[in-house]
Amino acid sequence: MDVKHIKDYLSWLYYQYLLITCSYVLEPWEQSIFNTVLLTAIAMMIYSSYVFIPIHIQLAMDFFSGIVGGQHESTVALMS
Amino acid sequence: MPVEPNHEECARHSKCPSPLPVHNGALYKRSFNESFEETPMFVAVLTYMGYGILTLFGYLRDFLRAWKIEKCHNATERGEQKDFVPLYQDFENFYTRNLYMRIRDNWNRPVCSVPGERVDVVERYTEDYNWTFKFTGRVIKGVINMGSYNYLGFAQNQGLCFLIFFVFRFNLLLSVSFRYDTIPVSLFFSSLQSVFLCNLDIHEELESLVARFLGVEAAMTYGMGFATNSMNIPALVGKGCLILSDELNHASLVLGARLSGAPIRIFKHNNMQSLEKLLRDAIVQGQPRTHRPWKKILIVVEGIYSMEGSIVRLPEVIALKKKYKAYLYLDEAHSIGALGPTGRGVVDYFGLDPRDVDIMMGTFTKSFGSAGGYIGGSKVLIDYLRKHSHSTAYATSMSPPVAEQIIASMKCIMGDDGTSLGQDRVQQLAANTRYFRRRLVEMGFIIYGNSDSPVVPLMLYMPGKIGAFGREMLKRNIGVVVVGFPATPIIESRARFCVSAAHTKEMLDLALREISEVGDLLQLKYSRHHFVPLLDRPFDETTYEETDD
């Protein structure tokens, strides 16, 4: 029952995707080109975000912690 | 079971748009509810994206055709003429070839019965993605017809008013259906020019009847509605005259205005401030360069606009026309028979005097279930046109059976046949219209136009949904007309229903149920009830620049 519900929902979602992107009126071979291009683009986006975002976050954190940490240290030095 | 006419229903209903404040409210004898809900932003973005994708694939296909990788089905330039002016390179051809062709099965469907409230459609299929069609040999029976301009239901093959019904519009679902078996073919062609020979008694009778129907001094009839506009405007105005035309006027009016040679200035759709500004400028400035006053200023408007479903603000137009001493040309192609308590068109609807409109034009194609057009007005005007109009001098006069059909249906509306049949139809149409529009608005669709207009545009927007809507509705045995570019602006694709007096409540309910179902399936219920009154649409000064230099 639940599986059928999910299947219906997925097919409805795919139909909406077809309508909005106009794949609905494309011929099958054009549809496959369009889907391939779109999937490739999305896959590349996900892959590149997986590869680069952690590094960027790491660098950013290093940078900000460097600023904050440095101030803290110098404050401590002044206090002592 | 008929729908109960209920005038106050819409105003009372909570979900319905409240009556808009009308600019010159005192001129109106009844409430004027006209709304054009703005396009939701995300819908506009997705629509443009859809057209973008289709355009990219169009370029790909054109590239493949040019390199002979795929077979080219459409017309191409001949090899020996390849240095001539290119014929198939403009945007319209690109659009037809690569966008329209993909959903072409929704248009020009062959019909094999009287296009009344129900219609039989010939089933067909395609093997090469809509480039050619083949018949399956089956007929889809009893499709509910929401597409014909059959406002009063006179397109029928029984009863007093029966003949054939012509649908001349290019984007209609229904193509022409001839019934040669009912009338001898020879009767169709009284093919002589009316000014010389072929004005029969029946034409005289028809013209006097039309004049009486409209409440004007005299009237003239023509065999073709389009030519009535396109050939008579040049007879009325010419060099030294000015035409002020609504931006959404029909192609026949545009053609007539252009053929006249007079400068044309366009005002915003149904926007009286824009019209007044143009009138004022025209009177203050006079003709370009010489600054002589214009000989005549002709305001050209339509009664009901067939793509927007809006009704002209006639009381204000007449007030402006009187104030600035201009002339008014009113095209009642859709409104005659379909509006007003007695079916006399938009003048009757607003309770005005027909003598205030200088030129009353209309067609017999829609409400009267026939063919042809008329012009009504003062005796002087009609005598002048009889002498000077091209469509009097060179066109054939109307064929007698067609004239007979018009006389029969017109007498029926006027009650001259001794029954209240015609009056009932007029009231039924008004009730059906209000019911159908109210239910659609409640369902959450974006519906354009006036709440009393039998033309009901339902906005679809996205190009993929145009094809899907037409196909899904026909699958559910309902025939609808879907409209896209070039008949509408490129993002405002729509489905257009035409309500008829012949639709029963059961039919409308069935149609509404199916429309709602398809609306849910295609996610068409865009409405967020943000109504923009026409007068609040932003002004764009650049549109008032002259078009003639």
Side-chain angles (χ1 to χ4, degrees), chain B residues 337-388:
Chain B
L339 272 188
T342 57
R344 269 18 173 229
V346 69
V347 178
D348 185 28
Y349 175 76
F350 288 113
L352 299 166
D353 184 2
R355 277 160 232 275
D356 284 340
V357 181
D358 300 284
I359 303 127
M360 304 257 281
M361 180 271 163
T363 62
F364 302 121
T365 321
K366 281 121 194 164
S367 299
F368 301 101
S370 189
Y374 66 79
I375 281 200
S378 64
K379 181 87 173 56
V380 185
L381 170 84
I382 299 301
D383 286 345
Y384 175 81
L385 282 179
R386 222 178 267 288
K387 186 77 177 61
H388 289 93

Side-chain angles (χ1 to χ4, degrees), chain B residues 310-348:
Chain B
S310 49
I311 297 176
V312 65
R313 296 173 175 273
L314 196 63
E316 287 174 79
V317 175
I318 287 180
L320 282 178
K321 166 206 116 104
K322 283 183 176 162
K323 186 173 171 194
Y324 294 99
K325 303 216 167 19
Y327 295 90
L328 178 60
Y329 186 107
L330 175 65
D331 178 347
E332 292 215 81
H334 287 270
S335 52
I336 192 75
L339 272 188
T342 57
R344 269 18 173 229
V346 69
V347 178
D348 185 28

Side-chain angles (χ1 to χ4, degrees), chain A residues 11-12 15-35 37-38, chain B residues 46 49-51 53-54 57 60-61 64 102-103 129 462-465 467-468 471-472 520-523:
Chain A
S11 65
W12 178 85
Y15 190 63
Q16 299 305 317
Y17 161 79
L18 287 183
L19 284 174
I20 286 171
T21 59
C22 292
S23 306
Y24 180 80
V25 298
L26 296 180
E27 289 170 28
W29 67 270
E30 289 171 317
Q31 259 185 40
S32 45
I33 290 181
F34 180 74
N35 287 340
V37 169
L38 197 69
Chain B
L46 291 176
M49 189 193 75
Y51 276 111
I53 293 167
L54 285 177
F57 275 99
L60 173 70
R61 299 297 291 273
L64 294 180
R102 295 177 190 274
I103 48 172
Y129 298 99
M462 296 173 205
K465 292 184 182 180
R471 288 173 197 165
E472 290 293 333
D520 285 332
L521 180 69
L522 305 187
Q523 295 288 297

Side-chain angles (χ1 to χ4, degrees), chain B residues 471-545:
Chain B
R471 288 173 197 165
E472 290 293 333
M473 290 308 284
L474 191 66
K475 221 186 270 175
R476 290 163 170 76
N477 236 25
I478 291 165
V480 297
V481 174
V482 282
V483 196
F485 182 82
T488 66
I490 195 136
I491 69 157
E492 293 183 4
S493 309
R494 59 197 74 176
R496 190 190 48 190
F497 307 109
C498 292
V499 181
S500 164
H503 290 134
T504 59
K505 185 161 191 298
E506 284 74 31
M507 275 184 204
L508 289 181
D509 280 338
L510 180 65
L512 284 164
R513 202 159 55 239
E514 303 293 4
I515 292 166
S516 176
E517 198 184 306
V518 175
D520 285 332
L521 180 69
L522 305 187
Q523 295 288 297
L524 292 173
K525 297 180 177 175
Y526 303 116
S527 178
R528 290 175 302 181
H529 299 290
H530 293 161
F531 292 96
V532 185
L534 257 188
L535 291 168
D536 293 354
R537 280 190 165 183
F539 255 75
D540 187 1
E541 289 287 328
T542 54
T543 54
Y544 306 132
E545 283 172 10

Side-chain angles (χ1 to χ4, degrees), chain B residues 406-448:
Chain B
I406 300 163
I407 291 173
S409 44
M410 199 172 270
K411 279 188 172 162
C412 185
I413 300 171
M414 293 167 84
D416 279 15
D417 56 350
T419 64
S420 65
L421 219 72
Q423 193 54 42
D424 291 348
R425 284 182 190 233
V426 172
Q427 279 165 7
Q428 185 65 49
L429 174 65
N432 282 357
T433 300
R434 274 191 293 273
Y435 177 70
F436 193 70
R437 275 187 167 268
R438 179 170 62 80
R439 289 287 305 276
L440 284 179
V441 170
E442 279 170 23
M443 285 174 192
F445 292 106
I446 294 189
I447 304 292
Y448 272 10

Side-chain angles (χ1 to χ4, degrees), chain B residues 224-235:
Chain B
M224 178 180 168
F226 192 100
T228 313
N229 274 335
S230 58
M231 292 287 103
N232 281 309
I233 296 177

Side-chain angles (χ1 to χ4, degrees), chain B residues 197-235:
Chain B
L197 274 170
C198 203
N199 226 9
L200 306 176
D201 287 353
I202 196 165
H203 297 119
E204 306 277 326
E205 187 192 339
L206 175 62
E207 286 173 0
S208 63
L209 184 70
V210 171
R212 197 151 59 83
F213 180 74
L214 296 172
V216 292
E217 281 177 24
M220 232 194 121
T221 58
Y222 304 87
M224 178 180 168
F226 192 100
T228 313
N229 274 335
S230 58
M231 292 287 103
N232 281 309
I233 296 177

